[in-house]
Amino acid sequence: MKKVIRLSSDVTNKIAAGEVIERPASVIKELIENSIDAGSGKIEIHITEGGKEKIQIIDDGHGMSREDALLSLERFTTSKINQFDDLEGLSTFGFRGEALASIASVSIIEIKTKTPEDKEGIFLRAEGGKNVSEKEISWHRGTSITVNSLFYNTPARRKFQKNAQSETRQIYRVVRYFSLAYPDLHFSLYNGDKLIWKLTPANIKKRIDEIFDNRSISENLIEVSYTDPVFKLNGYISVPEFTRSTRNDQYLFLNKRFIKNRTADHGIYQGYSTTLSHGPGHPFYILLLEMPSDKF
């Protein structure tokens, strides 16, 4: 009896999707990265039911042509590499086809997009990764991607998603990461009909004030700025007397990517030495580190 079988493309696509898309916040992360890579100045995010029912990202980036939009829904399609060695030189987040194919395979997705060169935009609708509709539309420059019914065709994955409130918190956290790393961009976030954030380009200090909306934080920050031939560091740390009960408000970015690093974390705490308030207090910090990728 034959025991080894070749899985269908439908099954392999869903398996691959699980490696990229764990929850609605994963979709938000991938789509915002795509918008940033597309040169967007404004990024608008809409969610319904913690993103489980609907996610929409609208940007004013350079958009996609019809051919690129169709290819972006296929696996292993990219505009950024031609050979394996090119992966070492990537300095951007990713490419449309990297995540869209995975998202499309486990949702009902609609894309509206237009490049500055095209006279008309293109509308695509795919269900479970299969194109079901395509037409020309009147559209402005940029891209709108709407993800409906995430994991509708993978019931086990959908069943084990957290409740809407928990998923919403994760989405807020992801949007917070990007808005802090890119204070020069517009970000708008809507939860249903409610506007959560409407952030205009600003310096990092003003962006901190807008995101946290807490005067006690703003009044207890020290600016950090350091440059040497290898790296550049800037941002803000809290004064020793101002601490938080958890480590949740600690943000370290490497080349605008949020990271967690025990060595860096240890170094920050060592810098405070014994000046931190007694008890289980943790410093608040937002630090942006920039360095060449070959120095990682």
Side-chain angles (χ1 to χ4, degrees):
M1 179 182 294
K2 183 172 68 172
K3 296 183 178 180
V4 179
I5 64 171
R6 181 178 289 109
L7 296 174
S8 69
S9 60
D10 178 62
V11 174
T12 57
N13 285 346
K14 290 177 182 176
I15 292 173
E19 298 173 359
V20 178
I21 308 303
E22 298 177 355
R23 61 196 311 174
S26 305
V27 174
I28 298 285
K29 172 183 176 294
E30 297 292 342
L31 294 182
I32 290 178
E33 287 180 349
N34 282 348
S35 292
I36 291 172
D37 281 348
S40 304
K42 294 182 179 180
I43 301 173
E44 190 174 306
I45 304 117
H46 297 258
I47 61 171
T48 303
E49 286 296 308
K52 293 189 289 184
E53 294 305 320
K54 181 179 178 180
I55 293 168
Q56 183 180 28
I57 309 287
I58 305 169
D59 68 50
D60 63 350
H62 52 61
M64 293 182 285
S65 66
R66 173 183 177 276
E67 293 74 17
D68 285 345
L70 287 168
L71 279 174
S72 73
L73 294 175
E74 296 183 15
R75 292 184 66 197
F76 309 120
T77 57
T78 175
S79 61
K80 300 200 175 173
I81 63 173
N82 291 305
Q83 55 190 5
F84 184 79
D85 290 344
D86 292 341
L87 289 170
E88 295 292 331
L90 277 177
S91 59
T92 51
F93 285 111
F95 36 83
R96 294 284 187 189
E98 181 181 86
L100 276 185
S102 294
I103 295 169
S105 69
V106 290
S107 70
I108 299 170
I109 190 170
E110 295 180 349
I111 300 175
K112 298 176 182 177
T113 188
K114 178 182 174 295
T115 68
E117 297 77 25
D118 292 328
K119 293 182 178 180
E120 298 291 336
I122 184 73
F123 169 85
L124 297 177
R125 177 183 171 91
E127 298 179 4
K130 297 180 175 61
N131 289 346
V132 296
S133 180
E134 174 193 339
K135 62 182 178 181
E136 287 190 342
I137 58 170
S138 175
W139 189 249
H140 50 77
R141 166 181 165 164
T143 300
S144 167
I145 296 179
T146 304
V147 179
N148 294 298
S149 304
L150 186 63
F151 301 128
Y152 82 100
N153 55 355
T154 52
R157 294 287 305 282
R158 189 172 177 86
K159 178 182 177 181
F160 284 100
Q161 296 299 296
K162 303 292 186 182
N163 60 41
Q165 187 177 14
S166 178
E167 296 297 347
T168 296
R169 283 197 298 268
Q170 290 299 318
I171 290 171
Y172 287 3
R173 192 162 181 82
V174 168
V175 176
R176 188 180 296 119
Y177 292 156
F178 284 105
S179 63
L180 290 170
Y182 290 87
D184 56 322
L185 300 184
H186 291 261
F187 286 94
S188 298
L189 173 62
Y190 294 83
N191 185 358
D193 295 328
K194 182 179 180 182
L195 175 64
I196 307 302
W197 285 314
K198 190 174 185 64
L199 307 171
T200 57
N203 57 41
I204 184 64
K205 180 60 167 58
K206 184 178 179 183
R207 182 58 57 89
I208 291 171
D209 293 343
E210 291 178 321
I211 284 290
F212 295 98
D213 192 23
N214 186 330
R215 181 173 292 183
S216 65
I217 291 177
S218 181
E219 292 176 346
N220 287 283
L221 295 182
I222 302 170
E223 185 174 8
V224 175
S225 182
Y226 177 80
T227 302
D228 75 6
V230 177
F231 69 89
K232 178 180 179 182
L233 178 68
N234 64 78
Y236 287 86
I237 61 173
S238 60
V239 298
E241 296 78 20
F242 182 84
T243 58
R244 313 293 276 174
S245 60
T246 71
R247 296 174 183 261
N248 288 339
D249 286 329
Q250 298 181 344
Y251 303 86
L252 176 63
F253 298 91
L254 175 59
N255 294 349
K256 300 191 175 184
R257 291 175 182 264
F258 175 77
I259 64 168
K260 290 184 177 293
N261 184 281
R262 288 186 178 181
T263 301
D265 184 66
H266 181 67
I268 292 167
Y269 276 81
Q270 274 196 322
Y272 279 96
S273 185
T274 59
T275 62
L276 282 174
S277 299
H278 295 294
H282 300 281
F284 174 103
Y285 61 79
I286 296 171
L287 296 171
L288 297 97
L289 176 64
E290 297 179 23
M291 61 189 301
S293 58
D294 61 356
K295 302 296 183 182
F296 293 176

